[in-house]
Amino acid sequence: MSDNKGLLCRKNFVLLFIAVLCWIPAVEAKKPDWQRQPVNWRMTGGSSIKAVNYPQEKTPPMFGKRKGRRPASLHKKVLPAEAAFRLAPLAKKTPASMIALVIDSPPVDGFVPWIAVAVTNERFNEDDLRFDAVPIDFVSGSYLTPNPESDYAVGIFDTGASAHIISHAAASQAGLSGPYLTSNTVEVSGVTGSVFAWVSYPLGIFIDGLGAIEPDGMLYDTSGMVGETNVSVVVGDAFDSPNLPTAIGSPLSVYFAADFHNDRQITISHGSEDFTGPDISFYELSDPCCPTYSNKIPLELRPLGGIDVEYIPYIDPFNPFELPPASPSIIIGNLSQSIFFVHSVDLYEGSKSAIDKDRFMLDTGAQVTVVGSRVAARLGLNPANPAFEVEIQGVTGDIIMAPGFYIDSIDIPALGEWLSFTDIPVILLDVASPEGGTADGIIGMNLFVELNFVLRGGGLLGLDDPSIEFALMPLIADIAPPGGDHKVDFLDLAELASHWLQTPSSPDWNSQCDLAPTSSPDGIVNFLDFAVLANHWLESVEL
């Protein structure tokens, strides 16, 4: 951005809600007898965790998915009889019994939902005086760069962001600069302060999963992209450190269904970075091709009363015929900046509990799960005696500490099978809520690493309520007997060996033996497939 533009900018003191972390209990710096493990985990509000500290005599917190292996135990349980009545109003009947899918010891950090992001100049005619965004299931408009196959961005599908954000680096590469930026700014706040970012003129923003990117890093096929036109976004400033992330938020997720396949991990290279995440596809809400699952977690778009996605125009008394966005496009209604909330969460720690909490945000942009101070107090968590600590870097680049704990269990009621977790790592901090005050916490993606699921948008006037439909992802390499037996053993090895070096043209071809690469099998059974089976050797699921 030019210095002149910086001097002439109009600062709009609108607190852009991006799941802002607003308070953290005071925690000392790393204790002398503790170890420090550097990490780089996404958090809500543009923040990130840069390190985990834990006692030397303790087992280090479990990171990631144990290199692709399942938790120590994965099974189902029958919930108490009274649990059946909890969902009776939602199911419009009383279920006979409730079953929970139990995931023991989820990791501290979950996956990052990386997506490809393209930008065009598509907007309403300037004379139309319309400020609402238009959802669309194909790319419309002209790209801002002559090389859109390479000059796209890799961002995060982030339901915790109330506006779309494009980092300075991504904006520069995609051609989102100069005439596409207004002289208005918006304040983005976090744990260590706030930064100002630019507000764009209306544009077209389009996204697809990493599967749309070819092995050579090029984005050739945009047929699966969905997006919005006439939408104003936040653009990071060159002088901010660290740079704001690229995040596509709730203004788009309300209009579409996002299908997450954790059993199909994709790795791509873009620029000088590698990105790995689940295969994600996007569908219109009414598209019958979108997968469906029998288990459903009801969500709410809160605050209630959202109507559509709009930007607020800036009215210049000296130039009343030009109405550039004064703030980015957000969900507009009785109140604004709506975010998805899980309808009910139960938490237990020893004899203490926090039951039926309905102020937990669902944040796909957060790799970790968070509990606020009210819930922590109910569970008896002591900030002075944490199980581990995390170093959080805010939007200004400063670092502060936050305590972490393991709590006994979290139950999330669902139509069908409930989700139940044991020995769950959580971070203690308070997060600003779009409804005012603070939320009960954040449900992060560390609780979803073992699931395939569909996040169905909705909640606006005229749309159905949002939800998450989920199922346990198939046990990788469980290929024998037909249909699997919930374990990887010599039966699976024998099946793989019996089809060794076969291809789809072989008379008795078994596509289940073609395990690699996981994102796009190569049509031959060979050592790559054997390596996948070996990596999952003796894994099992207790049902």
PDB file of all heavy atoms in Angstrom, residues 407-423:
ATOM      1  N   ILE A 407      -9.340 -32.937  30.491  1.00  0.00           N
ATOM      2  CA  ILE A 407     -10.574 -33.170  31.232  1.00  0.00           C
ATOM      3  C   ILE A 407     -11.114 -34.553  30.886  1.00  0.00           C
ATOM      4  O   ILE A 407     -10.826 -35.111  29.832  1.00  0.00           O
ATOM      5  CB  ILE A 407     -11.630 -32.079  30.953  1.00  0.00           C
ATOM      6  CG1 ILE A 407     -12.014 -32.032  29.480  1.00  0.00           C
ATOM      7  CG2 ILE A 407     -11.109 -30.724  31.388  1.00  0.00           C
ATOM      8  CD1 ILE A 407     -13.116 -31.042  29.186  1.00  0.00           C
ATOM      9  N   ASP A 408     -11.912 -35.096  31.805  1.00  0.00           N
ATOM     10  CA  ASP A 408     -12.309 -36.503  31.713  1.00  0.00           C
ATOM     11  C   ASP A 408     -13.140 -36.811  30.475  1.00  0.00           C
ATOM     12  O   ASP A 408     -12.887 -37.805  29.780  1.00  0.00           O
ATOM     13  CB  ASP A 408     -13.081 -36.925  32.971  1.00  0.00           C
ATOM     14  CG  ASP A 408     -12.187 -37.033  34.187  1.00  0.00           C
ATOM     15  OD1 ASP A 408     -10.962 -37.109  33.999  1.00  0.00           O
ATOM     16  OD2 ASP A 408     -12.712 -37.027  35.319  1.00  0.00           O
ATOM     17  N   SER A 409     -14.161 -35.999  30.191  1.00  0.00           N
ATOM     18  CA  SER A 409     -15.002 -36.324  29.041  1.00  0.00           C
ATOM     19  C   SER A 409     -15.763 -35.107  28.538  1.00  0.00           C
ATOM     20  O   SER A 409     -16.033 -34.164  29.288  1.00  0.00           O
ATOM     21  CB  SER A 409     -15.991 -37.450  29.369  1.00  0.00           C
ATOM     22  OG  SER A 409     -16.928 -37.032  30.329  1.00  0.00           O
ATOM     23  N   ILE A 410     -16.087 -35.153  27.256  1.00  0.00           N
ATOM     24  CA  ILE A 410     -16.966 -34.196  26.591  1.00  0.00           C
ATOM     25  C   ILE A 410     -17.971 -34.995  25.774  1.00  0.00           C
ATOM     26  O   ILE A 410     -17.588 -35.878  25.000  1.00  0.00           O
ATOM     27  CB  ILE A 410     -16.194 -33.241  25.665  1.00  0.00           C
ATOM     28  CG1 ILE A 410     -15.294 -32.294  26.466  1.00  0.00           C
ATOM     29  CG2 ILE A 410     -17.155 -32.418  24.806  1.00  0.00           C
ATOM     30  CD1 ILE A 410     -14.465 -31.351  25.596  1.00  0.00           C
ATOM     31  N   ASP A 411     -19.246 -34.712  25.959  1.00  0.00           N
ATOM     32  CA  ASP A 411     -20.301 -35.328  25.161  1.00  0.00           C
ATOM     33  C   ASP A 411     -20.982 -34.252  24.323  1.00  0.00           C
ATOM     34  O   ASP A 411     -21.314 -33.177  24.825  1.00  0.00           O
ATOM     35  CB  ASP A 411     -21.362 -36.001  26.041  1.00  0.00           C
ATOM     36  CG  ASP A 411     -20.828 -37.230  26.761  1.00  0.00           C
ATOM     37  OD1 ASP A 411     -19.785 -37.754  26.326  1.00  0.00           O
ATOM     38  OD2 ASP A 411     -21.454 -37.655  27.751  1.00  0.00           O
ATOM     39  N   ILE A 412     -21.190 -34.547  23.047  1.00  0.00           N
ATOM     40  CA  ILE A 412     -21.926 -33.649  22.156  1.00  0.00           C
ATOM     41  C   ILE A 412     -23.159 -34.394  21.675  1.00  0.00           C
ATOM     42  O   ILE A 412     -23.050 -35.344  20.888  1.00  0.00           O
ATOM     43  CB  ILE A 412     -21.068 -33.197  20.962  1.00  0.00           C
ATOM     44  CG1 ILE A 412     -19.795 -32.496  21.450  1.00  0.00           C
ATOM     45  CG2 ILE A 412     -21.866 -32.266  20.055  1.00  0.00           C
ATOM     46  CD1 ILE A 412     -18.865 -32.034  20.338  1.00  0.00           C
ATOM     47  N   PRO A 413     -24.358 -34.031  22.140  1.00  0.00           N
ATOM     48  CA  PRO A 413     -25.581 -34.717  21.713  1.00  0.00           C
ATOM     49  C   PRO A 413     -25.807 -34.598  20.209  1.00  0.00           C
ATOM     50  O   PRO A 413     -25.498 -33.572  19.596  1.00  0.00           O
ATOM     51  CB  PRO A 413     -26.685 -34.008  22.497  1.00  0.00           C
ATOM     52  CG  PRO A 413     -25.987 -33.416  23.686  1.00  0.00           C
ATOM     53  CD  PRO A 413     -24.635 -33.028  23.179  1.00  0.00           C
ATOM     54  N   ALA A 414     -26.339 -35.668  19.648  1.00  0.00           N
ATOM     55  CA  ALA A 414     -26.612 -35.698  18.216  1.00  0.00           C
ATOM     56  C   ALA A 414     -27.833 -36.561  17.959  1.00  0.00           C
ATOM     57  O   ALA A 414     -28.186 -37.429  18.771  1.00  0.00           O
ATOM     58  CB  ALA A 414     -25.409 -36.251  17.450  1.00  0.00           C
ATOM     59  N   LEU A 415     -28.481 -36.318  16.853  1.00  0.00           N
ATOM     60  CA  LEU A 415     -29.527 -37.207  16.377  1.00  0.00           C
ATOM     61  C   LEU A 415     -28.840 -38.414  15.757  1.00  0.00           C
ATOM     62  O   LEU A 415     -28.076 -38.283  14.808  1.00  0.00           O
ATOM     63  CB  LEU A 415     -30.407 -36.502  15.350  1.00  0.00           C
ATOM     64  CG  LEU A 415     -31.166 -35.277  15.870  1.00  0.00           C
ATOM     65  CD1 LEU A 415     -31.800 -34.513  14.724  1.00  0.00           C
ATOM     66  CD2 LEU A 415     -32.216 -35.691  16.878  1.00  0.00           C
ATOM     67  N   GLY A 416     -29.111 -39.602  16.303  1.00  0.00           N
ATOM     68  CA  GLY A 416     -28.350 -40.780  15.933  1.00  0.00           C
ATOM     69  C   GLY A 416     -27.357 -41.064  17.036  1.00  0.00           C
ATOM     70  O   GLY A 416     -27.711 -41.068  18.217  1.00  0.00           O
ATOM     71  N   GLU A 417     -26.109 -41.293  16.689  1.00  0.00           N
ATOM     72  CA  GLU A 417     -25.076 -41.519  17.697  1.00  0.00           C
ATOM     73  C   GLU A 417     -24.526 -40.188  18.201  1.00  0.00           C
ATOM     74  O   GLU A 417     -24.206 -39.300  17.413  1.00  0.00           O
ATOM     75  CB  GLU A 417     -23.938 -42.361  17.117  1.00  0.00           C
ATOM     76  CG  GLU A 417     -24.342 -43.775  16.757  1.00  0.00           C
ATOM     77  CD  GLU A 417     -23.182 -44.577  16.194  1.00  0.00           C
ATOM     78  OE1 GLU A 417     -22.120 -43.990  15.916  1.00  0.00           O
ATOM     79  OE2 GLU A 417     -23.341 -45.792  16.045  1.00  0.00           O
ATOM     80  N   TRP A 418     -24.426 -40.067  19.518  1.00  0.00           N
ATOM     81  CA  TRP A 418     -23.751 -38.913  20.095  1.00  0.00           C
ATOM     82  C   TRP A 418     -22.254 -39.034  19.825  1.00  0.00           C
ATOM     83  O   TRP A 418     -21.733 -40.121  19.535  1.00  0.00           O
ATOM     84  CB  TRP A 418     -23.973 -38.865  21.611  1.00  0.00           C
ATOM     85  CG  TRP A 418     -25.347 -38.496  22.057  1.00  0.00           C
ATOM     86  CD1 TRP A 418     -26.520 -38.731  21.413  1.00  0.00           C
ATOM     87  CD2 TRP A 418     -25.680 -37.835  23.276  1.00  0.00           C
ATOM     88  NE1 TRP A 418     -27.577 -38.257  22.146  1.00  0.00           N
ATOM     89  CE2 TRP A 418     -27.087 -37.701  23.306  1.00  0.00           C
ATOM     90  CE3 TRP A 418     -24.941 -37.344  24.346  1.00  0.00           C
ATOM     91  CZ2 TRP A 418     -27.765 -37.101  24.364  1.00  0.00           C
ATOM     92  CZ3 TRP A 418     -25.609 -36.738  25.400  1.00  0.00           C
ATOM     93  CH2 TRP A 418     -27.005 -36.611  25.404  1.00  0.00           C
ATOM     94  N   LEU A 419     -21.557 -37.915  19.987  1.00  0.00           N
ATOM     95  CA  LEU A 419     -20.098 -37.927  19.996  1.00  0.00           C
ATOM     96  C   LEU A 419     -19.628 -37.814  21.436  1.00  0.00           C
ATOM     97  O   LEU A 419     -20.090 -36.927  22.173  1.00  0.00           O
ATOM     98  CB  LEU A 419     -19.538 -36.758  19.191  1.00  0.00           C
ATOM     99  CG  LEU A 419     -19.278 -36.985  17.703  1.00  0.00           C
ATOM    100  CD1 LEU A 419     -18.707 -35.712  17.077  1.00  0.00           C
ATOM    101  CD2 LEU A 419     -18.314 -38.144  17.484  1.00  0.00           C
ATOM    102  N   SER A 420     -18.722 -38.685  21.835  1.00  0.00           N
ATOM    103  CA  SER A 420     -18.202 -38.667  23.197  1.00  0.00           C
ATOM    104  C   SER A 420     -16.688 -38.779  23.146  1.00  0.00           C
ATOM    105  O   SER A 420     -16.141 -39.597  22.394  1.00  0.00           O
ATOM    106  CB  SER A 420     -18.796 -39.828  24.003  1.00  0.00           C
ATOM    107  OG  SER A 420     -18.369 -39.778  25.352  1.00  0.00           O
ATOM    108  N   PHE A 421     -16.007 -37.958  23.931  1.00  0.00           N
ATOM    109  CA  PHE A 421     -14.551 -37.938  23.954  1.00  0.00           C
ATOM    110  C   PHE A 421     -14.080 -38.095  25.392  1.00  0.00           C
ATOM    111  O   PHE A 421     -14.713 -37.575  26.320  1.00  0.00           O
ATOM    112  CB  PHE A 421     -14.012 -36.623  23.390  1.00  0.00           C
ATOM    113  CG  PHE A 421     -14.532 -36.283  22.021  1.00  0.00           C
ATOM    114  CD1 PHE A 421     -15.705 -35.555  21.868  1.00  0.00           C
ATOM    115  CD2 PHE A 421     -13.861 -36.691  20.888  1.00  0.00           C
ATOM    116  CE1 PHE A 421     -16.204 -35.246  20.625  1.00  0.00           C
ATOM    117  CE2 PHE A 421     -14.349 -36.381  19.629  1.00  0.00           C
ATOM    118  CZ  PHE A 421     -15.526 -35.666  19.490  1.00  0.00           C
ATOM    119  N   THR A 422     -12.970 -38.797  25.585  1.00  0.00           N
ATOM    120  CA  THR A 422     -12.387 -38.937  26.916  1.00  0.00           C
ATOM    121  C   THR A 422     -10.944 -38.444  26.902  1.00  0.00           C
ATOM    122  O   THR A 422     -10.276 -38.465  25.862  1.00  0.00           O
ATOM    123  CB  THR A 422     -12.419 -40.404  27.383  1.00  0.00           C
ATOM    124  OG1 THR A 422     -11.556 -41.202  26.546  1.00  0.00           O
ATOM    125  CG2 THR A 422     -13.823 -40.977  27.328  1.00  0.00           C
ATOM    126  N   ASP A 423     -10.487 -37.980  28.071  1.00  0.00           N
ATOM    127  CA  ASP A 423      -9.114 -37.520  28.237  1.00  0.00           C
ATOM    128  C   ASP A 423      -8.779 -36.467  27.175  1.00  0.00           C
ATOM    129  O   ASP A 423      -7.856 -36.625  26.380  1.00  0.00           O
ATOM    130  CB  ASP A 423      -8.148 -38.700  28.154  1.00  0.00           C
ATOM    131  CG  ASP A 423      -6.762 -38.342  28.664  1.00  0.00           C
ATOM    132  OD1 ASP A 423      -6.655 -37.437  29.512  1.00  0.00           O
ATOM    133  OD2 ASP A 423      -5.777 -38.962  28.203  1.00  0.00           O
TER     134      ASP A 423
END
